[in-house]
Amino acid sequence: MRRDQSSLMSDGAYLLLFIFSFVAIVYMSGDPDRYMYNIIFLNAAFLIAIITYFTNVTAGLILNILFIFGYGTFTLYRTVVEGATVSAQNYVWLVLTPLLTLITWMITMANRRLQEDNERLQKLNRSLATMDEHTDLKNNLSFQKDATVFMALSQRYKMPLTLLIVSVKYWDEIKRMISREQMTQTIYNVSQLSQTSIRTNDSLYMLNADNPTWGMLLFTDREGANIVIDRLRQRARELNETAGGSRFKIELILKIGAIEYSAEETPTPLELIAQARKQLEYDV
């Protein structure tokens, strides 16, 4: 509903702008004796409109008051000194200038509302998306949905379930040393080595894309998770050795934390993540 109102205001404002332009052209062409005056007043009207567009309506109103005062002073001067008569033409720009400011304000408000709606929809789309756009991995939202199902299966069929959380040590320092393309490639490399270190029935997630954190749901106990942890560290060492001959070498050191699911200690996916992050802090 709000988006329809914004679109209607925007369409109405642009229609009024076309009408204003038509009226101004007809008026100026019908009074060639005052052509130079009309050009000056038209430029002043558009200057006020431009300032209003890039600031706010308050600045536009103040400038319109100053314009009306200056225009009234000019008209009074011509009437007293030059003996010019006051006619209906003297009031035209007193109407057109505030009207153009009003049209500009309508355009500004409509565009601002459309931008707010667009930003809100983008945030909503990101919150509802279940895949990370850079790695094509399932994100935090998908993890919580899957973890709820896996935890129920673990409890029902007495299958051990372990969450592994993986991050890159010294990431804040690393990302200041490499370009955005290299940073994206590094995240992709870690995602690939994580994907190849687990079984097909295990799941890999990107829990945090800003400070890259991966999550792995493994149908195994804590001892079985140690095998995956050793495999991850071995793959990271191999990756570092492979990149050893490159022009820009970054040594990746993984921090890994693991927690086995317990219905009493970790009853929810968020609690499971919180406990795994605590274990991550111990891996120094």
Side-chain angles (χ1 to χ4, degrees):
M1 184 65 180
R2 182 182 177 184
R3 184 172 55 186
D4 294 338
Q5 291 177 352
S6 300
S7 300
L8 182 62
M9 179 182 289
S10 178
D11 295 339
Y14 281 111
L15 179 61
L16 288 175
L17 181 60
F18 288 133
I19 295 175
F20 171 87
S21 301
F22 175 76
V23 171
I25 291 173
V26 171
Y27 170 72
M28 293 175 64
S29 62
D31 190 7
D33 295 335
R34 294 169 54 90
Y35 181 76
M36 185 58 64
Y37 292 138
N38 288 332
I39 285 292
I40 294 174
F41 295 145
L42 179 64
N43 288 334
F46 272 104
L47 179 61
I48 294 173
I50 292 173
I51 295 175
T52 302
Y53 182 83
F54 286 104
T55 55
N56 51 55
V57 68
T58 303
L61 291 175
I62 294 174
L63 291 175
N64 270 280
I65 293 173
L66 294 177
F67 174 80
I68 292 172
F69 177 78
Y71 186 79
T73 303
F74 171 75
T75 302
L76 182 63
Y77 169 80
R78 293 198 61 207
T79 302
V80 175
V81 177
E82 298 181 5
T85 59
V86 178
S87 62
Q89 294 177 340
N90 296 102
Y91 298 97
V92 172
W93 290 109
L94 292 178
V95 176
L96 291 182
T97 302
L99 179 61
L100 181 59
T101 302
L102 176 62
I103 294 172
T104 304
W105 173 78
M106 291 175 62
I107 294 175
T108 304
M109 288 297 297
N111 290 341
R112 186 173 300 169
R113 288 182 180 179
L114 290 174
Q115 290 173 358
E116 291 175 355
D117 289 340
N118 180 57
E119 183 178 356
R120 178 177 58 83
L121 291 174
Q122 287 182 350
K123 289 182 178 179
L124 181 62
N125 181 59
R126 287 194 296 266
S127 66
L128 295 177
T130 58
M131 300 290 288
D132 180 74
E133 60 180 344
H134 298 296
T135 60
D136 291 333
L137 296 179
K138 297 179 181 179
N139 63 9
N140 199 1
L141 178 63
S142 183
F143 168 81
Q144 295 187 46
K145 293 179 179 179
D146 293 349
T148 302
V149 177
F150 292 167
M151 290 161 69
L153 291 174
S154 174
Q155 190 173 6
R156 181 174 182 179
Y157 296 104
K158 307 302 179 184
M159 294 186 301
L161 179 67
T162 302
L163 171 64
L164 254 65
I165 286 189
V166 181
S167 66
V168 179
K169 197 172 184 179
Y170 310 123
W171 177 256
D172 290 336
E173 289 74 15
I174 290 176
K175 69 180 182 180
R176 287 194 289 265
M177 298 167 55
I178 59 179
S179 65
R180 181 174 295 274
E181 292 76 14
Q182 291 170 324
M183 185 168 58
T184 302
Q185 184 62 39
T186 301
I187 295 174
Y188 177 78
N189 290 338
V190 177
S191 300
Q192 287 297 106
L193 72 87
S194 300
Q195 186 71 65
T196 56
S197 300
I198 60 177
R199 298 170 299 184
T200 55
N201 60 333
D202 298 326
S203 296
L204 176 64
Y205 304 87
M206 174 62 74
L207 299 181
N208 189 339
D210 297 327
N211 185 11
T213 305
W214 294 262
M216 303 180 192
L217 280 174
L218 312 176
F219 281 106
T220 184
D221 55 16
R222 185 63 179 81
E223 293 182 1
N226 288 334
I227 300 176
V228 179
I229 293 175
D230 293 338
R231 193 181 302 153
L232 282 170
R233 297 193 189 281
Q234 178 61 30
R235 297 284 171 81
R237 285 193 292 268
E238 293 174 357
L239 181 63
N240 291 331
E241 293 173 359
T242 303
S246 62
R247 182 175 61 87
F248 196 91
K249 178 184 176 181
I250 291 295
E251 184 177 1
L252 296 177
I253 303 176
L254 301 182
K255 293 179 61 178
I256 305 175
I259 187 70
E260 186 173 348
Y261 165 67
S262 171
E264 293 77 19
E265 297 179 2
T266 55
T268 65
L270 293 179
E271 184 63 29
L272 190 65
I273 292 179
Q275 293 297 329
R277 288 187 185 277
K278 289 181 180 179
Q279 297 298 321
L280 188 68
E281 296 174 358
Y282 297 142
D283 186 14
V284 294

